[in-house]
Short mmCIF file of all heavy atoms in Angstrom, two decimals:
data_model
loop_
_atom_site.label_atom_id
_atom_site.label_comp_id
_atom_site.label_asym_id
_atom_site.label_seq_id
_atom_site.Cartn_x
_atom_site.Cartn_y
_atom_site.Cartn_z
N LEU F 3 112.12 87.86 103.39
CA LEU F 3 111.08 87.43 104.33
C LEU F 3 110.77 88.54 105.32
O LEU F 3 111.62 89.37 105.63
CB LEU F 3 111.55 86.19 105.09
CG LEU F 3 111.83 84.98 104.21
CD1 LEU F 3 112.36 83.85 105.05
CD2 LEU F 3 110.56 84.56 103.48
N LEU F 4 109.54 88.50 105.78
CA LEU F 4 109.09 89.50 106.74
C LEU F 4 109.75 89.22 108.09
O LEU F 4 109.71 88.10 108.59
CB LEU F 4 107.57 89.41 106.88
CG LEU F 4 106.94 90.33 107.93
CD1 LEU F 4 106.96 91.76 107.45
CD2 LEU F 4 105.52 89.88 108.23
N LYS F 5 110.38 90.24 108.63
CA LYS F 5 110.92 90.07 109.99
C LYS F 5 110.25 91.08 110.90
O LYS F 5 110.59 92.26 110.89
CB LYS F 5 112.44 90.26 109.98
CG LYS F 5 113.15 89.07 109.34
CD LYS F 5 114.35 88.64 110.18
CE LYS F 5 114.81 87.25 109.76
NZ LYS F 5 116.06 87.25 108.99
N ASP F 47 73.13 80.80 133.25
CA ASP F 47 73.91 79.64 133.67
C ASP F 47 74.29 79.76 135.14
O ASP F 47 74.40 78.76 135.83
CB ASP F 47 75.22 79.56 132.86
CG ASP F 47 74.95 79.17 131.42
OD1 ASP F 47 73.88 78.59 131.16
OD2 ASP F 47 75.80 79.44 130.56
N GLU F 101 58.19 75.49 137.49
CA GLU F 101 58.36 75.29 136.07
C GLU F 101 57.18 75.79 135.24
O GLU F 101 57.35 76.44 134.21
CB GLU F 101 58.54 73.80 135.86
CG GLU F 101 59.34 73.47 134.66
CD GLU F 101 59.11 72.02 134.34
OE1 GLU F 101 59.36 71.19 135.21
OE2 GLU F 101 58.64 71.75 133.24
N ASN F 105 57.33 78.58 132.23
CA ASN F 105 56.90 78.38 130.85
C ASN F 105 55.87 79.42 130.43
O ASN F 105 55.92 79.94 129.33
CB ASN F 105 56.31 76.98 130.69
CG ASN F 105 57.38 75.92 130.75
OD1 ASN F 105 58.52 76.19 130.40
ND2 ASN F 105 57.01 74.75 131.23
N ARG F 123 62.50 85.81 115.25
CA ARG F 123 62.75 84.37 115.22
C ARG F 123 63.32 83.96 116.57
O ARG F 123 64.30 84.53 117.01
CB ARG F 123 63.75 84.08 114.11
CG ARG F 123 63.85 82.63 113.71
CD ARG F 123 64.93 82.46 112.65
NE ARG F 123 66.24 82.38 113.27
CZ ARG F 123 67.38 82.45 112.61
NH1 ARG F 123 67.38 82.66 111.31
NH2 ARG F 123 68.54 82.35 113.23
N ASP F 125 65.44 81.84 118.64
CA ASP F 125 66.51 80.91 118.36
C ASP F 125 66.78 79.94 119.50
O ASP F 125 67.22 78.83 119.28
CB ASP F 125 67.80 81.68 118.05
CG ASP F 125 67.78 82.21 116.64
OD1 ASP F 125 67.12 81.59 115.79
OD2 ASP F 125 68.41 83.25 116.39
N ALA F 126 66.55 80.39 120.71
CA ALA F 126 66.86 79.50 121.82
C ALA F 126 66.10 79.92 123.06
O ALA F 126 65.84 81.11 123.27
CB ALA F 126 68.36 79.52 122.11
N VAL F 127 65.70 78.96 123.84
CA VAL F 127 65.10 79.21 125.14
C VAL F 127 65.84 78.35 126.15
O VAL F 127 65.99 77.15 125.95
CB VAL F 127 63.60 78.82 125.16
CG1 VAL F 127 62.99 79.16 126.52
CG2 VAL F 127 62.85 79.53 124.06
N GLU F 128 66.35 78.99 127.20
CA GLU F 128 67.07 78.22 128.21
C GLU F 128 66.48 78.52 129.58
O GLU F 128 66.24 79.68 129.90
CB GLU F 128 68.56 78.59 128.21
CG GLU F 128 69.18 78.47 126.83
CD GLU F 128 70.69 78.52 126.86
OE1 GLU F 128 71.26 79.04 127.84
OE2 GLU F 128 71.30 78.05 125.89
N THR F 129 66.21 77.49 130.33
CA THR F 129 65.71 77.66 131.69
C THR F 129 66.64 76.91 132.63
O THR F 129 66.89 75.73 132.45
CB THR F 129 64.30 77.08 131.83
OG1 THR F 129 63.51 77.57 130.75
CG2 THR F 129 63.67 77.49 133.14
N SER F 131 67.43 76.18 136.71
CA SER F 131 66.94 76.36 138.07
C SER F 131 68.07 76.85 138.97
O SER F 131 69.25 76.71 138.66
CB SER F 131 66.39 75.05 138.60
OG SER F 131 67.45 74.16 138.82
N LYS F 133 69.20 75.77 141.67
CA LYS F 133 70.07 74.72 142.17
C LYS F 133 71.20 74.42 141.17
O LYS F 133 72.37 74.37 141.52
CB LYS F 133 69.25 73.45 142.38
CG LYS F 133 70.00 72.38 143.10
CD LYS F 133 69.09 71.24 143.46
CE LYS F 133 69.89 70.14 144.12
NZ LYS F 133 69.13 68.91 144.22
N VAL F 134 70.80 74.26 139.90
CA VAL F 134 71.79 73.95 138.88
C VAL F 134 72.75 75.11 138.69
O VAL F 134 73.97 74.93 138.59
CB VAL F 134 71.09 73.63 137.54
CG1 VAL F 134 72.10 73.52 136.42
CG2 VAL F 134 70.29 72.35 137.67
N GLU F 137 75.41 75.17 141.26
CA GLU F 137 76.42 74.13 141.03
C GLU F 137 77.35 74.50 139.90
O GLU F 137 78.56 74.30 139.98
CB GLU F 137 75.74 72.82 140.66
CG GLU F 137 75.12 72.11 141.85
CD GLU F 137 74.28 70.93 141.41
OE1 GLU F 137 74.48 70.44 140.29
OE2 GLU F 137 73.40 70.53 142.19
N ALA F 149 92.86 74.35 137.61
CA ALA F 149 93.70 74.45 136.43
C ALA F 149 94.92 75.32 136.75
O ALA F 149 96.06 74.98 136.41
CB ALA F 149 92.91 75.04 135.26
N TYR F 156 102.85 71.86 137.94
CA TYR F 156 103.61 71.25 136.84
C TYR F 156 104.89 72.05 136.56
O TYR F 156 105.97 71.48 136.38
CB TYR F 156 102.74 71.17 135.58
CG TYR F 156 103.50 70.61 134.40
CD1 TYR F 156 103.77 69.24 134.31
CD2 TYR F 156 103.99 71.44 133.40
CE1 TYR F 156 104.49 68.73 133.26
CE2 TYR F 156 104.71 70.94 132.34
CZ TYR F 156 104.96 69.58 132.27
OH TYR F 156 105.68 69.08 131.24
N ARG F 160 108.69 70.85 136.75
CA ARG F 160 109.59 70.84 135.59
C ARG F 160 110.74 71.82 135.75
O ARG F 160 111.80 71.64 135.18
CB ARG F 160 108.81 71.21 134.32
CG ARG F 160 107.88 70.14 133.84
CD ARG F 160 108.61 69.04 133.15
NE ARG F 160 109.21 69.46 131.88
CZ ARG F 160 109.97 68.69 131.15
NH1 ARG F 160 110.26 67.47 131.54
NH2 ARG F 160 110.47 69.13 130.01
N LEU F 200 89.47 79.12 131.10
CA LEU F 200 90.30 77.92 131.21
C LEU F 200 91.29 77.83 130.04
O LEU F 200 92.44 77.42 130.20
CB LEU F 200 89.42 76.68 131.25
CG LEU F 200 88.80 76.36 132.60
CD1 LEU F 200 87.71 75.33 132.47
CD2 LEU F 200 89.87 75.86 133.56
N THR F 201 90.81 78.22 128.87
CA THR F 201 91.69 78.23 127.71
C THR F 201 92.83 79.21 127.90
O THR F 201 93.99 78.92 127.58
CB THR F 201 90.90 78.62 126.45
OG1 THR F 201 89.69 77.88 126.43
CG2 THR F 201 91.69 78.34 125.20
N GLY F 204 95.50 77.94 129.99
CA GLY F 204 96.41 77.07 129.25
C GLY F 204 97.30 77.83 128.28
O GLY F 204 98.51 77.67 128.28
N TYR F 205 96.69 78.69 127.47
CA TYR F 205 97.44 79.29 126.36
C TYR F 205 98.27 80.51 126.74
O TYR F 205 99.32 80.75 126.18
CB TYR F 205 96.50 79.65 125.21
CG TYR F 205 96.23 78.46 124.32
CD1 TYR F 205 95.23 77.55 124.63
CD2 TYR F 205 97.00 78.24 123.18
CE1 TYR F 205 95.01 76.45 123.84
CE2 TYR F 205 96.78 77.14 122.38
CZ TYR F 205 95.77 76.25 122.71
OH TYR F 205 95.56 75.15 121.92
N ASN F 208 101.67 79.73 127.60
CA ASN F 208 102.61 79.22 126.60
C ASN F 208 103.84 80.09 126.50
O ASN F 208 104.97 79.60 126.50
CB ASN F 208 101.94 79.17 125.23
CG ASN F 208 101.17 77.90 125.05
OD1 ASN F 208 101.00 77.16 126.01
ND2 ASN F 208 100.71 77.64 123.85
N VAL F 211 106.04 79.72 129.47
CA VAL F 211 106.78 78.46 129.50
C VAL F 211 107.98 78.51 128.56
O VAL F 211 109.09 78.09 128.89
CB VAL F 211 105.85 77.28 129.13
CG1 VAL F 211 106.66 76.02 128.89
CG2 VAL F 211 104.84 77.05 130.23
N ASP F 215 111.77 78.26 129.69
CA ASP F 215 112.61 77.21 129.13
C ASP F 215 113.96 77.81 128.69
O ASP F 215 115.02 77.24 128.93
CB ASP F 215 111.89 76.59 127.94
CG ASP F 215 112.63 75.39 127.37
OD1 ASP F 215 112.69 74.38 128.07
OD2 ASP F 215 113.14 75.49 126.25
N ARG F 216 113.86 79.01 128.07
CA ARG F 216 115.08 79.66 127.61
C ARG F 216 115.91 80.18 128.80
O ARG F 216 117.14 80.11 128.79
CB ARG F 216 114.71 80.81 126.65
CG ARG F 216 115.91 81.48 126.02
CD ARG F 216 116.81 80.46 125.33
NE ARG F 216 116.16 79.84 124.20
CZ ARG F 216 116.39 80.20 122.95
NH1 ARG F 216 117.25 81.14 122.66
NH2 ARG F 216 115.76 79.59 121.96
N GLU F 219 117.84 77.35 130.19
CA GLU F 219 118.96 77.03 129.32
C GLU F 219 120.10 78.03 129.51
O GLU F 219 121.27 77.65 129.63
CB GLU F 219 118.46 77.05 127.86
CG GLU F 219 119.43 76.49 126.86
CD GLU F 219 118.89 76.61 125.44
OE1 GLU F 219 117.66 76.50 125.28
OE2 GLU F 219 119.68 76.83 124.52
N SER F 242 111.09 87.18 119.07
CA SER F 242 110.54 86.98 117.74
C SER F 242 109.44 85.91 117.78
O SER F 242 108.36 86.08 117.22
CB SER F 242 111.64 86.57 116.78
OG SER F 242 111.11 86.23 115.55
N ARG F 243 109.74 84.81 118.48
CA ARG F 243 108.76 83.74 118.61
C ARG F 243 107.52 84.21 119.34
O ARG F 243 106.39 83.93 118.93
CB ARG F 243 109.40 82.55 119.33
CG ARG F 243 108.47 81.41 119.60
CD ARG F 243 107.85 81.53 120.96
NE ARG F 243 106.64 80.73 121.08
CZ ARG F 243 105.77 80.90 122.06
NH1 ARG F 243 105.95 81.83 122.96
NH2 ARG F 243 104.69 80.16 122.11
N THR F 247 103.95 84.03 117.34
CA THR F 247 102.89 83.13 117.80
C THR F 247 101.66 83.89 118.28
O THR F 247 100.54 83.58 117.89
CB THR F 247 103.41 82.23 118.94
OG1 THR F 247 104.42 81.40 118.42
CG2 THR F 247 102.30 81.37 119.49
N SER F 250 99.81 85.29 115.42
CA SER F 250 99.14 84.25 114.65
C SER F 250 97.82 83.85 115.32
O SER F 250 96.78 83.73 114.66
CB SER F 250 100.08 83.06 114.51
OG SER F 250 99.36 81.92 114.16
N PHE F 261 83.89 87.34 111.38
CA PHE F 261 83.03 86.55 110.49
C PHE F 261 82.25 85.43 111.19
O PHE F 261 81.35 84.85 110.62
CB PHE F 261 83.88 85.92 109.38
CG PHE F 261 84.63 86.91 108.55
CD1 PHE F 261 85.98 87.10 108.73
CD2 PHE F 261 83.96 87.68 107.60
CE1 PHE F 261 86.69 88.03 107.97
CE2 PHE F 261 84.65 88.61 106.84
CZ PHE F 261 86.03 88.79 107.03
N PRO F 263 80.11 83.12 114.23
CA PRO F 263 78.76 83.19 114.81
C PRO F 263 78.70 84.16 116.00
O PRO F 263 79.66 84.25 116.77
CB PRO F 263 78.49 81.76 115.29
CG PRO F 263 79.56 80.92 114.70
CD PRO F 263 80.70 81.78 114.37
N LEU F 269 82.95 84.25 124.09
CA LEU F 269 84.02 83.28 124.27
C LEU F 269 85.28 83.71 123.52
O LEU F 269 86.39 83.69 124.04
CB LEU F 269 83.54 81.92 123.74
CG LEU F 269 84.54 80.79 123.71
CD1 LEU F 269 84.10 79.69 124.65
CD2 LEU F 269 84.67 80.20 122.34
N GLU H 59 65.96 65.71 137.61
CA GLU H 59 66.50 65.31 138.90
C GLU H 59 65.48 64.47 139.64
O GLU H 59 64.29 64.80 139.67
CB GLU H 59 66.86 66.54 139.73
CG GLU H 59 67.62 66.18 140.98
CD GLU H 59 68.02 67.40 141.78
OE1 GLU H 59 67.12 68.14 142.21
OE2 GLU H 59 69.22 67.62 141.96
N ARG H 187 70.56 62.20 138.63
CA ARG H 187 70.10 63.00 137.50
C ARG H 187 70.14 62.23 136.19
O ARG H 187 70.91 61.29 136.03
CB ARG H 187 70.99 64.24 137.35
CG ARG H 187 70.72 65.18 138.45
CD ARG H 187 71.51 66.42 138.32
NE ARG H 187 71.25 67.25 139.48
CZ ARG H 187 71.92 68.32 139.77
NH1 ARG H 187 72.88 68.73 138.98
NH2 ARG H 187 71.61 69.02 140.83
N GLU H 199 57.37 70.85 125.50
CA GLU H 199 56.27 70.72 126.45
C GLU H 199 55.70 69.30 126.49
O GLU H 199 55.44 68.75 127.55
CB GLU H 199 55.15 71.72 126.11
CG GLU H 199 55.52 73.17 126.34
CD GLU H 199 56.21 73.39 127.67
OE1 GLU H 199 55.65 72.98 128.71
OE2 GLU H 199 57.31 73.95 127.68
N LYS H 202 57.98 67.08 128.30
CA LYS H 202 57.94 67.28 129.76
C LYS H 202 56.69 66.65 130.36
O LYS H 202 56.74 66.07 131.45
CB LYS H 202 58.01 68.78 130.08
CG LYS H 202 59.44 69.22 130.12
CD LYS H 202 59.70 70.68 129.95
CE LYS H 202 58.82 71.68 130.59
NZ LYS H 202 59.18 73.04 130.20
N ILE H 353 65.15 70.37 135.98
CA ILE H 353 65.87 71.44 136.66
C ILE H 353 66.67 72.30 135.69
O ILE H 353 67.20 73.33 136.05
CB ILE H 353 66.82 70.89 137.76
CG1 ILE H 353 67.73 69.82 137.19
CG2 ILE H 353 66.03 70.37 138.93
CD1 ILE H 353 68.84 69.45 138.15
N GLU H 354 66.75 71.86 134.44
CA GLU H 354 67.44 72.68 133.45
C GLU H 354 66.86 72.31 132.09
O GLU H 354 66.61 71.15 131.82
CB GLU H 354 68.94 72.40 133.48
CG GLU H 354 69.77 73.31 132.62
CD GLU H 354 71.24 72.90 132.60
OE1 GLU H 354 71.71 72.32 133.58
OE2 GLU H 354 71.88 73.14 131.58
N GLU H 355 66.67 73.33 131.27
CA GLU H 355 66.03 73.07 129.98
C GLU H 355 66.63 74.01 128.95
O GLU H 355 66.71 75.21 129.17
CB GLU H 355 64.53 73.36 130.13
CG GLU H 355 63.74 73.16 128.88
CD GLU H 355 62.29 73.63 129.07
OE1 GLU H 355 61.82 73.70 130.21
OE2 GLU H 355 61.67 73.96 128.06
N ARG H 356 67.08 73.46 127.85
CA ARG H 356 67.64 74.32 126.80
C ARG H 356 67.12 73.87 125.45
O ARG H 356 67.19 72.69 125.11
CB ARG H 356 69.17 74.27 126.79
CG ARG H 356 69.80 74.83 128.06
CD ARG H 356 71.29 74.66 128.07
NE ARG H 356 71.82 74.81 129.41
CZ ARG H 356 72.40 75.92 129.87
NH1 ARG H 356 72.54 76.98 129.10
NH2 ARG H 356 72.85 75.98 131.10
N THR H 357 66.60 74.81 124.70
CA THR H 357 66.08 74.49 123.38
C THR H 357 66.70 75.44 122.37
O THR H 357 66.76 76.64 122.60
CB THR H 357 64.55 74.64 123.35
OG1 THR H 357 64.00 73.81 124.36
CG2 THR H 357 64.00 74.22 122.00
N VAL H 358 67.21 74.89 121.30
CA VAL H 358 67.82 75.72 120.27
C VAL H 358 67.09 75.48 118.95
O VAL H 358 66.82 74.34 118.59
CB VAL H 358 69.32 75.38 120.09
CG1 VAL H 358 69.95 76.24 119.03
CG2 VAL H 358 70.05 75.53 121.40
N GLY H 359 66.77 76.57 118.27
CA GLY H 359 66.08 76.47 116.99
C GLY H 359 67.03 76.01 115.90
O GLY H 359 68.24 76.19 116.01
N GLU H 361 67.40 77.11 112.85
CA GLU H 361 67.99 78.15 112.00
C GLU H 361 69.27 78.69 112.60
O GLU H 361 70.25 78.93 111.91
CB GLU H 361 67.03 79.32 111.77
CG GLU H 361 65.80 78.97 110.97
CD GLU H 361 64.63 78.72 111.88
OE1 GLU H 361 64.88 78.44 113.09
OE2 GLU H 361 63.48 78.79 111.43
N ASP H 365 72.81 78.81 110.72
CA ASP H 365 73.56 80.07 110.53
C ASP H 365 74.95 79.96 111.12
O ASP H 365 75.94 80.38 110.53
CB ASP H 365 72.84 81.22 111.24
CG ASP H 365 71.58 81.64 110.50
OD1 ASP H 365 71.32 81.06 109.42
OD2 ASP H 365 70.87 82.53 111.00
N SER H 369 78.49 80.51 109.25
CA SER H 369 79.45 81.58 109.55
C SER H 369 80.70 80.99 110.21
O SER H 369 81.80 81.50 110.02
CB SER H 369 78.82 82.65 110.43
OG SER H 369 78.37 82.10 111.64
N VAL H 387 104.81 84.72 104.50
CA VAL H 387 105.65 85.91 104.42
C VAL H 387 106.71 85.90 105.51
O VAL H 387 107.76 86.53 105.37
CB VAL H 387 104.84 87.24 104.50
CG1 VAL H 387 103.90 87.35 103.33
CG2 VAL H 387 104.09 87.36 105.81
N GLY H 390 108.98 81.92 104.49
CA GLY H 390 109.32 81.44 103.16
C GLY H 390 109.10 79.94 103.02
O GLY H 390 108.03 79.42 103.34
N ALA H 424 85.05 77.59 117.87
CA ALA H 424 86.06 78.51 118.39
C ALA H 424 87.33 77.74 118.73
O ALA H 424 88.44 78.21 118.48
CB ALA H 424 85.54 79.25 119.62
N VAL H 427 89.27 77.12 115.51
CA VAL H 427 89.99 78.30 115.02
C VAL H 427 91.19 78.61 115.92
O VAL H 427 92.29 78.92 115.45
CB VAL H 427 89.04 79.51 114.93
CG1 VAL H 427 89.81 80.78 114.62
CG2 VAL H 427 87.97 79.27 113.88
N LEU H 428 90.99 78.49 117.22
CA LEU H 428 92.09 78.74 118.16
C LEU H 428 93.24 77.77 117.90
O LEU H 428 94.41 78.16 117.87
CB LEU H 428 91.58 78.57 119.60
CG LEU H 428 92.63 78.70 120.69
CD1 LEU H 428 93.13 80.12 120.79
CD2 LEU H 428 92.07 78.26 122.03
N GLY H 431 95.22 78.79 114.94
CA GLY H 431 96.12 79.89 115.24
C GLY H 431 97.30 79.44 116.07
O GLY H 431 98.43 79.89 115.87
N ALA H 432 97.06 78.54 117.00
CA ALA H 432 98.11 78.15 117.94
C ALA H 432 98.98 77.02 117.40
O ALA H 432 100.08 76.80 117.89
CB ALA H 432 97.47 77.74 119.26
N VAL H 434 100.64 76.68 114.78
CA VAL H 434 101.90 77.05 114.15
C VAL H 434 102.96 77.35 115.20
O VAL H 434 104.14 77.47 114.88
CB VAL H 434 101.73 78.27 113.22
CG1 VAL H 434 100.85 77.90 112.05
CG2 VAL H 434 101.19 79.46 113.97
N ASP H 435 102.54 77.45 116.48
CA ASP H 435 103.50 77.79 117.52
C ASP H 435 104.70 76.86 117.52
O ASP H 435 105.85 77.30 117.60
CB ASP H 435 102.82 77.75 118.90
CG ASP H 435 103.79 78.13 120.01
OD1 ASP H 435 104.48 79.16 119.82
OD2 ASP H 435 103.86 77.42 121.01
N GLU H 442 112.35 79.57 114.58
CA GLU H 442 113.14 80.60 115.25
C GLU H 442 114.45 80.01 115.76
O GLU H 442 115.51 80.64 115.71
CB GLU H 442 112.36 81.21 116.42
CG GLU H 442 111.13 82.02 116.01
CD GLU H 442 111.50 83.31 115.27
OE1 GLU H 442 112.61 83.81 115.48
OE2 GLU H 442 110.66 83.78 114.48
N ARG H 443 114.36 78.78 116.24
CA ARG H 443 115.55 78.14 116.77
C ARG H 443 116.55 77.86 115.65
O ARG H 443 117.76 78.06 115.82
CB ARG H 443 115.14 76.82 117.45
CG ARG H 443 116.22 76.22 118.26
CD ARG H 443 116.39 77.01 119.54
NE ARG H 443 117.67 76.72 120.15
CZ ARG H 443 117.87 76.76 121.47
NH1 ARG H 443 116.90 77.12 122.28
NH2 ARG H 443 119.05 76.49 121.97
N ARG H 445 116.82 79.59 112.89
CA ARG H 445 117.38 80.91 112.59
C ARG H 445 118.54 81.22 113.53
O ARG H 445 119.62 81.61 113.11
CB ARG H 445 116.31 82.00 112.81
CG ARG H 445 115.52 82.38 111.59
CD ARG H 445 114.65 83.59 111.94
NE ARG H 445 113.71 83.88 110.87
CZ ARG H 445 112.78 84.83 110.94
NH1 ARG H 445 112.67 85.57 112.04
NH2 ARG H 445 111.98 85.05 109.93
N GLU H 446 118.30 81.02 114.81
CA GLU H 446 119.32 81.30 115.83
C GLU H 446 120.57 80.47 115.61
O GLU H 446 121.69 80.99 115.67
CB GLU H 446 118.76 80.96 117.21
CG GLU H 446 118.15 82.10 117.95
CD GLU H 446 117.69 81.61 119.32
OE1 GLU H 446 118.54 81.19 120.10
OE2 GLU H 446 116.46 81.64 119.56
N THR H 467 111.69 70.55 123.95
CA THR H 467 111.29 70.63 125.37
C THR H 467 110.29 71.75 125.58
O THR H 467 109.31 71.59 126.30
CB THR H 467 112.49 70.86 126.31
OG1 THR H 467 113.21 71.97 125.84
CG2 THR H 467 113.35 69.65 126.43
N ASP H 471 106.52 71.28 127.07
CA ASP H 471 106.04 71.95 128.29
C ASP H 471 104.86 72.87 128.00
O ASP H 471 103.90 72.93 128.76
CB ASP H 471 107.17 72.75 128.94
CG ASP H 471 108.12 71.83 129.70
OD1 ASP H 471 107.67 70.76 130.12
OD2 ASP H 471 109.30 72.19 129.85
N ALA H 472 104.96 73.60 126.90
CA ALA H 472 103.90 74.56 126.59
C ALA H 472 102.58 73.83 126.31
O ALA H 472 101.51 74.30 126.69
CB ALA H 472 104.29 75.41 125.39
N THR H 475 100.65 72.40 129.53
CA THR H 475 99.79 73.35 130.26
C THR H 475 98.42 73.42 129.61
O THR H 475 97.40 73.49 130.29
CB THR H 475 100.41 74.76 130.33
OG1 THR H 475 100.51 75.27 129.01
CG2 THR H 475 101.77 74.74 130.98
N ASN H 476 98.40 73.38 128.27
CA ASN H 476 97.10 73.41 127.58
C ASN H 476 96.29 72.16 127.87
O ASN H 476 95.07 72.22 128.03
CB ASN H 476 97.31 73.52 126.07
CG ASN H 476 97.98 74.81 125.69
OD1 ASN H 476 98.00 75.74 126.48
ND2 ASN H 476 98.52 74.86 124.50
N ALA H 479 94.59 72.34 131.29
CA ALA H 479 93.40 73.19 131.27
C ALA H 479 92.25 72.51 130.54
O ALA H 479 91.11 72.53 131.00
CB ALA H 479 93.72 74.54 130.61
N LEU H 482 90.61 69.61 132.60
CA LEU H 482 89.74 70.12 133.66
C LEU H 482 88.44 70.67 133.07
O LEU H 482 87.36 70.52 133.63
CB LEU H 482 90.45 71.20 134.47
CG LEU H 482 91.43 70.63 135.47
CD1 LEU H 482 92.40 71.68 135.96
CD2 LEU H 482 90.67 70.03 136.66
N PHE H 494 84.04 71.96 123.21
CA PHE H 494 85.19 72.86 123.08
C PHE H 494 86.45 72.16 123.58
O PHE H 494 87.48 72.14 122.91
CB PHE H 494 84.88 74.11 123.92
CG PHE H 494 85.93 75.19 123.88
CD1 PHE H 494 86.24 75.83 122.71
CD2 PHE H 494 86.57 75.56 125.04
CE1 PHE H 494 87.19 76.84 122.70
CE2 PHE H 494 87.51 76.56 125.04
CZ PHE H 494 87.83 77.20 123.86
#
Side-chain angles (χ1 to χ4, degrees):
Chain F
L3 299 176
L4 176 73
K5 287 225 164 107
D47 289 339
E101 208 196 303
N105 289 331
R123 195 183 82 191
D125 282 332
V127 183
E128 307 193 339
T129 312
S131 70
K133 189 172 177 193
V134 171
E137 284 171 21
Y156 177 75
R160 288 283 292 176
L200 279 167
T201 314
Y205 276 85
N208 275 10
V211 169
D215 186 68
R216 185 55 65 100
E219 191 183 326
S242 173
R243 176 267 160 195
T247 295
S250 162
F261 302 104
L269 175 116
Chain H
E59 189 178 60
R187 289 182 183 170
E199 291 314 307
K202 275 160 40 185
I353 53 170
E354 188 185 331
E355 179 187 338
R356 295 175 198 260
T357 304
V358 180
E361 293 98 340
D365 287 357
S369 59
V387 297
V427 172
L428 175 69
V434 294
D435 181 48
E442 292 293 335
R443 192 74 198 211
R445 267 187 189 176
E446 266 182 62
T467 52
D471 282 334
T475 64
N476 296 343
L482 282 163
F494 182 63

